[in-house]
Amino acid sequence: PLLRERWKKGPDGFSLDALHEKLELVIREILRKHSRIYCLASTRRLILMWGHYARNHSGACIHFSGRHEPMLTAHAIKYTDEYPCLPFPFDSLPEKEFNQICATTKARGRSYEGEYRLLIAVGHSGPKDPNVNGDFVTLPEDSVIGVTAGAKMEPNNVSQLLAVAKAHKLPMWQAKIDNREFRLRFHRIL
């Protein structure tokens, strides 16, 4: 116990917890400056996802094709009980591998999400790389293949979304919370 307490505080009163917090801030800053991370769900069917990420069912789900760049390169999240390990110093890792380790690991308790993450390096444009402008990325025209309005989306927002879907010749669905089961149903409206 004495040795464990000494390591926790460090030989000079230095806290390993403080070091951990500082490293986490450094890693977050590196990711923020050098990459954009876009979170994607593998399905629109999970009620909890609509509650967490679509303003309690009042938002929308955009359907992306996984057959084209850059969605083709989205990474499946690794769900685990342990934090990922990074070699020190960090600069011994290629940037792409560093980003992948840091940005594609989540707690096992979130595995129901079936999440993927699209990692896009900022300032490393190649012929196949999407155009990054601030926090936004321009995707190829055929990337979006449909849209679903949330079950509690305001009617005027549904109308606006419908107009956008029509203009881009996209199929559109409206989600509905089932009365008998813990599930969503989807009614095609376009």
Side-chain angles (χ1 to χ4, degrees):
L2 182 60
L3 183 58
R4 182 179 297 153
E5 191 60 34
R6 193 152 182 218
W7 270 107
K8 194 170 185 179
K9 287 188 178 173
D12 302 323
F14 181 76
S15 165
L16 290 178
D17 289 339
L19 175 62
H20 180 266
E21 288 176 21
K22 178 69 174 168
L23 287 174
E24 187 175 333
L25 289 173
V26 167
I27 290 168
R28 286 180 188 272
E29 184 63 16
I30 290 169
L31 288 172
R32 189 189 67 73
K33 281 185 176 179
H34 300 285
S35 62
R36 295 297 176 263
I37 302 169
Y38 301 93
C39 303
L40 308 161
S42 58
T43 180
R44 66 180 176 178
R45 299 190 176 282
L46 298 174
I47 290 178
L48 273 176
M49 297 292 279
W50 284 91
H52 293 319
Y53 302 111
R55 291 180 40 214
N56 194 28
H57 300 266
S58 66
C61 173
I62 301 170
H63 306 230
F64 293 100
S65 170
R67 298 176 192 218
H68 307 289
E69 294 289 345
M71 298 304 170
L72 189 61
T73 59
H75 301 276
I77 292 295
K78 177 184 175 189
Y79 296 98
T80 180
D81 293 322
E82 299 173 1
Y83 288 111
C85 291
L86 288 169
F88 192 80
F90 301 140
D91 58 6
S92 65
L93 274 179
E95 186 175 322
K96 191 173 186 176
E97 191 175 341
F98 174 84
N99 291 347
Q100 196 171 349
I101 290 170
C102 294
T104 61
T105 305
K106 282 181 95 170
R108 186 179 309 280
R110 304 294 293 258
S111 63
Y112 66 89
E113 293 180 344
E115 184 179 345
Y116 286 78
R117 289 199 178 153
L118 180 60
L119 309 175
I120 299 176
V122 174
H124 298 277
S125 301
K128 289 186 174 181
D129 293 333
N131 180 28
V132 177
N133 183 6
D135 289 337
F136 298 96
V137 62
T138 302
L139 298 171
E141 198 169 305
D142 56 354
S143 295
V144 178
I145 58 172
V147 64
T148 299
K152 297 179 183 177
M153 182 179 273
E154 294 290 330
N156 63 324
N157 292 339
V158 173
S159 297
Q160 290 176 21
L161 189 58
L162 188 59
V164 171
K166 279 182 186 176
H168 292 279
K169 298 181 174 93
L170 295 171
M172 183 171 162
W173 292 263
Q174 173 83 56
K176 183 177 190 233
I177 299 171
D178 192 280
N179 295 355
R180 295 183 196 107
E181 301 176 49
F182 293 111
R183 64 182 285 185
L184 294 170
R185 301 220 180 255
F186 302 94
H187 172 69
R188 185 156 179 181
I189 57 177
L190 181 62

